[in-house]
Amino acid sequence: MTRLTGRALRVTIFIGENDIWHHKPLYTEIVHRAHKAGLAGASVFRGIEGFGASSLIHTSRLLSLSEDLPVAIVIVDNEEQVRAFLPQLDELVSEGLVILDDCEVIRYVGRGSNA
């Protein structure tokens, strides 16, 4: 099991829920690539409202079959692992926002761990 404590780097990718990569959701491709790369973890969060570079407001409040709600994928690992993954994000994210933050991991424990 990966032990991750102390200083870390968080990458957050903001994209649209309807963004596609080879006929499947882009957020799914990012999570699966992060897993394959051995990163400590990745989570996808669906927003209820937001806007980005296009200045179009996307919201869950409007009755619409074409909702394209904002999605954030958050990945945390040590700086070396995260920076090694960034070229894949360059390939995948053609529209959106990718940010990096320094963070501190206080606790990282998986299910079934005795920590």
Side-chain angles (χ1 to χ4, degrees), residues 63-74:
L63 294 176
S64 170
L65 296 176
S66 62
E67 291 175 350
D68 186 20
L69 295 174
V71 171
I73 304 105
V74 179

Side-chain angles (χ1 to χ4, degrees), residues 20-41:
I20 300 295
W21 178 263
H22 294 216
H23 308 293
K24 64 182 175 183
L26 177 57
Y27 59 83
T28 297
E29 182 68 17
I30 293 170
V31 168
H32 284 258
R33 286 197 188 192
H35 186 259
K36 186 176 179 182
L39 293 167

Side-chain angles (χ1 to χ4, degrees), residues 69-107:
L69 295 174
V71 171
I73 304 105
V74 179
I75 301 168
V76 177
D77 207 320
N78 65 52
E79 182 171 359
E80 182 180 331
Q81 288 285 100
V82 169
R83 290 201 182 274
F85 187 67
L86 292 179
Q88 293 198 54
L89 295 178
D90 284 341
E91 174 191 354
L92 293 169
V93 180
S94 59
E95 293 180 15
L97 174 67
V98 178
I99 61 171
L100 292 173
D101 299 293
D102 290 320
C103 62
E104 183 177 356
V105 175
I106 304 300
R107 184 168 172 82

